[in-house]
């Protein structure tokens, strides 16, 4: 079974790379699918597919992290994002025997009020764009150390008078060696496409291949993580705004070093006990995407902290990707078996 699963997964990776390469002429939409709903993930750089945690909020990053250890868990998340954007969601998961588990969730993404205008630029009022994601996850142990999972997502978007729908699938595997506290994961994210378009143009999903490694060393209770993402495309150029003067033209940065680090996210997670953790992440792509001539030291960095109080797991994460944007995320989860 293990060899069969790996062959299927390898074939999917090849097909995914081909689909991504054939779609380079159109710009990806639905990038909100890449926004984490877990405070731990968000604080560890925004993308992390290999950190082992029994919190239900973490499984939308990698369905291969879902397992029977979640028991019967209910989780809520809320995030104040950039500008007037506010996101909220709920997840429920349950063990399915000794080697499997399933989960379902709903995520709402609202972006505040935006002024609307006709083709002549005359204001006609306001509208509130929204996205909704409904998902179902199933995972099963392949062996003592390997686990695989699938996450199927239905996406509904409404922007003013326009609506669209899409179906997406995440496929993930995780290898975990408890003796070395070593975790390795691979995920193909956002396979699928639109089933109803906004208009005549086709908006493709942000299909992505991701690899993740997490491990602690010795007796130090720190888990180090490196996550590689956007692996279906090497060149990720960005514009450097310079010093902000009129004579300074933005310059395209597309060197080997910048491309390499824009594919990598680094994180450290301090876990002195099962009841407390604090972590920090660095996402170079976020820093360069949000860069202005007025440099913000915090851009690209994010922090998280988690605390278990009685039957509840509480989490908080903070990041400031831009000088004018502060983001805050909150999580709460509980295992209903404990009541």
């Amino acid at each position: 079974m293990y060899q069969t699963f790996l062959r299927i997964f390898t074939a999917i990776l090849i097909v995914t790379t081909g689909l991504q390469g054939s779609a380079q002429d159109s710009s990806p939409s639905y990038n909100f699918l890449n926004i984490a709903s877990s405070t731990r993930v968000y604080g560890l750089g925004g993308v992390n597919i290999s950190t082992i945690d029994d919190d239900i909020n973490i499984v939308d990053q990698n369905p291969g992290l879902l397992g029977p250890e979640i028991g019967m868990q209910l989780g809520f998340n809320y995030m104040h994002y950039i500008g007037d954007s506010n996101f909220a969601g709920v997840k429920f998961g349950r063990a399915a025997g000794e080697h499997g588990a399933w989960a379902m969730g709903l995520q709402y993404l609202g972006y505040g009020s935006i002024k609307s205008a006709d083709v002549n630029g005359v204001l006609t009022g306001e509208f509130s764009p929204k996205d909704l994601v409904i998902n179902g996850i199933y995972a099963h142990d392949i062996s003592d150390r390997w686990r695989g999972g699938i996450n199927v997502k239905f996406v509904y978007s409404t922007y003013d008078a326009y609506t669209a729908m899409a179906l997406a699938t995440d496929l993930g595997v995780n290898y975990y060696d408890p003796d070395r506290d070593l975790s390795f994961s691979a995920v193909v994210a956002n396979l699928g496409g639109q089933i109803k378009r906004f208009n005549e143009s086709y908006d493709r999903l942000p299909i992505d291949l991701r690899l993740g490694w997490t491990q602690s060393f010795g007796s130090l209770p720190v888990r180090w993580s490196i996550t590689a993402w956007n692996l279906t495309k090497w060149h990720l150029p960005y514009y450097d705004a310079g010093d902000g003067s009129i004579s300074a033209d933005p310059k395209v940065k597309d060197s080997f070093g910048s491309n390499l680090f824009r594919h990598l996210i680094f994180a450290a997670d301090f876990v002195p006990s099962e009841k407390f953790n604090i972590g920090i992440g660095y996402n170079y792509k976020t820093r360069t995407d949000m860069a202005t001539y007025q440099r913000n030291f915090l851009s690209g960095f994010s922090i998280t902290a988690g605390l278990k109080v009685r039957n509840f797991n509480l989490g908080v994460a903070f990041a400031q990707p831009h000088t004018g944007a502060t983001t805050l995320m909150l999580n709460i989860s509980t295992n209903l078996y404990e009541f």
Side-chain angles (χ1 to χ4, degrees), residues 212-336:
W213 163 84
T214 298
Q215 188 174 3
S216 64
F217 298 93
S219 60
L220 186 67
V222 177
R223 294 175 178 171
W224 306 93
S225 294
I226 299 177
T227 304
W229 64 316
N230 288 310
L231 296 181
T232 57
K233 183 180 181 181
W234 167 251
H235 290 280
L236 297 174
Y238 71 96
Y239 284 94
D240 189 326
D243 61 5
S245 62
I246 297 177
S247 59
D249 295 326
K251 296 181 179 179
V252 177
K253 299 292 185 178
D254 194 18
S255 67
F256 175 85
S258 68
N259 281 310
L260 174 63
F261 283 100
R262 278 168 63 81
H263 283 284
L264 301 177
I265 298 172
F266 302 92
D269 196 13
F270 177 60
V271 191
S273 74
E274 294 182 354
K275 295 186 176 182
F276 175 73
N277 67 275
I278 184 169
I280 184 171
Y282 180 69
N283 188 325
Y284 182 70
K285 186 176 187 300
T286 296
R287 181 172 180 82
T288 50
D289 284 345
M290 295 291 185
T292 65
Y293 67 92
Q294 294 178 331
R295 300 294 181 182
N296 174 22
F297 174 76
L298 296 178
S299 181
F301 288 97
S302 54
I303 57 173
T304 179
L307 181 67
K308 185 172 184 179
V309 181
R310 294 186 179 180
N311 298 334
F312 295 93
N313 290 311
L314 308 176
V316 61
F318 169 86
Q320 192 180 53
H322 190 275
T323 53
T326 299
T327 61
L328 179 69
M329 181 184 289
L330 302 173
N331 277 177
I332 181 171
S333 64
T334 185
N335 197 321
L336 300 181

Side-chain angles (χ1 to χ4, degrees), residues 20-278:
Q20 185 77 352
S22 65
Q24 292 302 319
D25 293 335
S26 58
S27 298
S29 299
Y30 298 93
N31 284 304
F32 58 84
L33 292 173
N34 293 325
I35 299 175
S37 62
S38 160
T39 54
R40 197 160 194 177
V41 170
Y42 191 69
L44 295 178
V47 180
N48 188 298
I49 63 172
S50 53
T51 291
I52 302 298
D53 194 354
D54 61 358
D55 187 355
I56 187 67
N57 288 302
I58 206 171
V59 300
D60 59 355
Q61 285 281 301
N62 179 3
L65 296 178
L66 179 67
E69 63 274 3
I70 68 164
M72 188 168 68
Q73 197 172 141
L74 180 67
F76 300 91
N77 67 82
Y78 167 77
M79 182 179 191
H80 175 72
Y81 201 54
I82 297 172
D84 294 327
S85 300
N86 290 279
F87 309 153
V90 59
K91 293 183 180 67
F92 175 77
R94 186 172 183 177
E98 296 182 358
H99 300 285
W102 60 267
M104 57 191 304
L106 184 150
Q107 194 73 17
Y108 166 84
L109 304 98
Y111 308 102
S113 296
I114 299 176
K115 293 181 179 180
S116 59
D118 60 21
V119 293
N120 298 314
V122 179
L123 296 179
T124 58
E126 294 184 343
F127 69 99
S128 300
K130 303 177 183 68
D131 293 304
L132 185 69
V133 183
I134 302 173
N135 66 305
I137 305 173
Y138 179 75
H140 197 276
D141 292 340
I142 303 169
S143 68
D144 292 340
R145 296 184 177 181
W146 283 93
R147 177 180 294 169
I150 181 172
N151 181 9
V152 179
K153 299 176 281 190
F154 171 77
V155 184
Y156 176 79
S157 302
T158 172
Y159 300 163
D160 199 5
Y162 303 94
T163 61
M165 291 181 286
L167 283 176
T169 301
D170 300 339
L171 301 172
V173 293
N174 173 257
Y175 170 85
Y176 180 59
D177 181 352
D179 297 330
R180 295 189 293 165
D181 196 22
L182 167 65
S183 173
F184 175 80
S185 292
V187 172
V188 179
N190 304 317
L191 284 169
Q194 281 186 303
I195 55 178
K196 181 182 182 299
R197 306 179 183 184
F198 282 114
N199 48 39
E200 296 301 321
S201 63
Y202 176 79
D203 297 320
R204 65 182 177 88
L205 300 182
I207 298 172
D208 193 15
L209 170 61
R210 300 167 183 173
L211 300 175
W213 163 84
T214 298
Q215 188 174 3
S216 64
F217 298 93
S219 60
L220 186 67
V222 177
R223 294 175 178 171
W224 306 93
S225 294
I226 299 177
T227 304
W229 64 316
N230 288 310
L231 296 181
T232 57
K233 183 180 181 181
W234 167 251
H235 290 280
L236 297 174
Y238 71 96
Y239 284 94
D240 189 326
D243 61 5
S245 62
I246 297 177
S247 59
D249 295 326
K251 296 181 179 179
V252 177
K253 299 292 185 178
D254 194 18
S255 67
F256 175 85
S258 68
N259 281 310
L260 174 63
F261 283 100
R262 278 168 63 81
H263 283 284
L264 301 177
I265 298 172
F266 302 92
D269 196 13
F270 177 60
V271 191
S273 74
E274 294 182 354
K275 295 186 176 182
F276 175 73
N277 67 275
I278 184 169

